[in-house]
Amino acid sequence: MPQQTAGVAWPVTDGTRVPFEIYTSQDVFEREQERIFRGPLWNYVALEAEIPAPGDFKTSFVGDTPVVVSRAQDGGVHVFVNRCAHRGATVQRHASGNTKEHRCVYHQWCYDGRGDLISVPYRRATTGFGGYAPDFDMKAHGLRKLHVASRKGVVFATFDPGAPSLEDFLEEPLLDAIDRLFSREVKVLGHMRQRIHGNWKLYVENTRDPYHAALLHGFHATFGTYRSNQKGFRGHDRARAHSAGGKYGDDFARPATTETVGDDNYIAGYSLSDPSLMAGRPDFNDNINLAITSIFPSVVVQQIMNTLATRHIRPKAPDDFELYWTYFGYADDDEETTAARLKQVNLVGPAGLISMEDGEAVELIQRAIVREGKDCAFLEFGPVNADPEQDSHGEDAVRAFWRYYQGIMA
Ligand code: FES
Ligand SMILES: [Fe+2]
């Protein structure tokens, strides 16, 4: 195993120690863009339900590279870099929309829904000025295209033609987790985005860390969305790039007492002034109340009760990333179900009753480690040699993430 990542030395490579420099180094960030976000991996970019009709598009990111996700006139989904082939300007400046052509505002080069160049002003020097040589080849000046794969309408892209198939990259039980949530046609309910002043990997760790869930999130323990003594599950691919964990809802909405919570990490005496917040109804018949599927490197797919969402991690700098939430329900939801989902959106997002603390925890770390690069995070909760499938509460999935990361960055 490597002992170094872009100049950062690992004291041990089993994931139990993480040098804080890994979250602050610009060199590490640059290497991540090359090895991870432009490497032989698949990056989540959008849901097909966001671009249902020909001409629909949305802008997204692969790492820190802006891309356009487009439904072309032929119905196919295309992903291309949002950077003009002429002089490099951002071509599509809207977050989403429908268009027959993507026109760069600077000199009006124009591209179709596949990213191919379709027109160039003053291409022939007929008016006495400008013009391109007769052998100017429009086909050679399209937008840079990525490879695209979709699983049940969840769209992934990669720069690397050598990436394995999406199915081989994800493996079971990650495929099962996607298939479960996207088993019915989905309907997008809305978006939220937030800027978190911390390293993107701190957030990835957070989504694989059941240790904190009932401790940091008083809401979870108090109102029963997640309690440490509830029966849980955890799965992963063989390389352990990804993690699929969650809880069964046996204690769903039972009031918090020492008995139901199992310890006293709930907020005694708290109740909801609007109890209908928790009055959802099961979407599935598997009794899973909460499922957090963390797909390396860039997305978390979640079910928290009736709140269904993707969370797209968009790194901007070593100490800065955007978290982009896409909320969805099902096309055949009735009005009452949609209303319940929209109410439960209060649980998550930037100011969510649960998720707000995760962004804050990331920033609490980033703020404290800036001058402590050689010191390490300590990850031995678990215990270290526990069977990850048996012990779904420990830091095992976080350690596994770091081992995978060291390999891909080597
Ligand atoms: S930079 Fe886009 S047309 Fe010139
Ligand atoms: Fe959390």
Side-chain angles (χ1 to χ4, degrees), residues 1 43 73 93 105 142 146 208 229 284 288 297 315 375 393:
M1 279 296 270
N43 295 272
Q73 297 303 326
R93 293 169 297 133
V105 72
L146 283 78
R208 295 159 192 231
N229 65 348
F284 311 97
I288 291 174
D375 284 355
H393 304 295

Side-chain angles (χ1 to χ4, degrees), residues 106-184:
Y106 201 175
H107 314 87
Q108 311 263 322
W109 280 33
C110 210
Y111 306 88
D112 68 11
R114 308 163 65 100
D116 292 329
L117 184 62
I118 50 173
S119 71
V120 171
Y122 311 126
R123 185 175 155 205
R124 315 227 182 268
T126 47
T127 48
F129 68 96
Y132 286 99
D135 64 352
F136 175 82
D137 182 5
M138 301 274 283
K139 286 198 262 328
H141 297 277
L143 300 175
R144 182 170 179 188
K145 296 173 183 179
L146 283 78
H147 302 268
V148 180
S150 177
R151 176 82 181 188
K152 297 266 182 192
V154 186
V155 185
F156 295 82
T158 183
F159 279 99
D160 192 336
S165 73
L166 179 63
E167 279 70 25
D168 285 347
F169 173 63
L170 291 172
E171 298 179 17
E172 287 163 3
L174 282 299
L175 293 169
D176 294 341
I178 290 178
D179 293 352
R180 173 178 174 269
L181 235 52
F182 294 89
S183 56
R184 289 149 63 193

Side-chain angles (χ1 to χ4, degrees), residues 263-280:
D263 43 45
D264 57 3
N265 55 6
Y266 62 91
I267 309 169
Y270 261 47
S271 61
L272 293 168
S273 54
D274 178 6
S276 73
L277 177 68
M278 306 296 281

Side-chain angles (χ1 to χ4, degrees), residues 24 87 158 162-163 171 218 235 238 274 327 354 376 385 396-397:
T24 60
R87 299 253 295 276
T158 183
E171 298 179 17
R238 281 166 297 173
D274 178 6
Y327 301 99
I354 298 165
C376 288
N385 295 319
D396 180 73

Side-chain angles (χ1 to χ4, degrees), residues 210-222 226-229 261 263 265-266:
Y211 188 12
H212 85 281
L215 298 169
L216 176 68
H217 304 300
F219 188 95
H220 264 332
T222 307
Y226 186 110
R227 288 169 181 162
S228 294
N229 65 348
V261 176
D263 43 45
N265 55 6
Y266 62 91

Side-chain angles (χ1 to χ4, degrees), residues 41-319:
L41 311 172
W42 288 95
N43 295 272
Y44 167 84
V45 286
L47 297 180
E48 285 197 41
E50 292 175 283
I51 48 165
D56 283 354
F57 70 88
K58 78 169 281 180
T59 53
S60 185
F61 286 87
V62 171
D64 61 2
T65 302
V67 298
V68 178
V69 186
S70 158
R71 174 87 63 183
Q73 297 303 326
D74 64 5
V77 176
H78 301 264
V79 179
F80 40 84
V81 175
N82 194 6
R83 172 179 48 77
C84 186
H86 178 222
R87 299 253 295 276
T90 301
V91 176
Q92 184 48 260
R93 293 169 297 133
H94 296 283
S96 63
N98 181 283
T99 184
K100 283 209 165 52
E101 54 186 36
H102 299 275
R103 184 183 293 269
C104 177
V105 72
Y106 201 175
H107 314 87
Q108 311 263 322
W109 280 33
C110 210
Y111 306 88
D112 68 11
R114 308 163 65 100
D116 292 329
L117 184 62
I118 50 173
S119 71
V120 171
Y122 311 126
R123 185 175 155 205
R124 315 227 182 268
T126 47
T127 48
F129 68 96
Y132 286 99
D135 64 352
F136 175 82
D137 182 5
M138 301 274 283
K139 286 198 262 328
H141 297 277
L143 300 175
R144 182 170 179 188
K145 296 173 183 179
L146 283 78
H147 302 268
V148 180
S150 177
R151 176 82 181 188
K152 297 266 182 192
V154 186
V155 185
F156 295 82
T158 183
F159 279 99
D160 192 336
S165 73
L166 179 63
E167 279 70 25
D168 285 347
F169 173 63
L170 291 172
E171 298 179 17
E172 287 163 3
L174 282 299
L175 293 169
D176 294 341
I178 290 178
D179 293 352
R180 173 178 174 269
L181 235 52
F182 294 89
S183 56
R184 289 149 63 193
E185 189 190 339
V186 306
K187 172 174 75 179
V188 173
L189 299 178
H191 300 93
M192 287 188 205
R193 49 185 182 166
Q194 67 190 111
R195 207 66 182 243
I196 298 180
H197 301 291
N199 187 266
W200 68 278
K201 300 186 294 299
L202 291 167
Y203 191 76
V204 174
E205 288 184 293
N206 174 278
T207 62
R208 295 159 192 231
D209 167 19
Y211 188 12
H212 85 281
L215 298 169
L216 176 68
H217 304 300
F219 188 95
H220 264 332
T222 307
F223 299 108
T225 40
Y226 186 110
R227 288 169 181 162
S228 294
N229 65 348
Q230 271 173 294
K231 190 163 168 267
F233 62 92
R234 175 165 298 286
H236 53 77
D237 55 312
R238 281 166 297 173
R240 305 211 60 183
H242 321 297
S243 154
K247 287 282 189 192
Y248 294 98
D250 305 318
D251 276 350
F252 180 64
R254 278 171 64 193
T257 64
T258 307
E259 195 186 40
T260 56
V261 176
D263 43 45
D264 57 3
N265 55 6
Y266 62 91
I267 309 169
Y270 261 47
S271 61
L272 293 168
S273 54
D274 178 6
S276 73
L277 177 68
M278 306 296 281
R281 49 188 163 180
D283 280 309
F284 311 97
N285 55 13
D286 52 14
N287 197 33
I288 291 174
N289 184 35
L290 177 145
I292 303 292
T293 304
S294 184
I295 296 174
F296 189 90
S298 61
V299 72
V300 180
V301 183
Q302 70 150 65
Q303 174 217 345
I304 298 178
M305 296 168 47
N306 296 114
T307 307
L308 314 176
T310 60
R311 311 177 193 168
H312 185 195
I313 299 164
R314 301 169 167 186
K316 303 296 175 194
D319 59 354

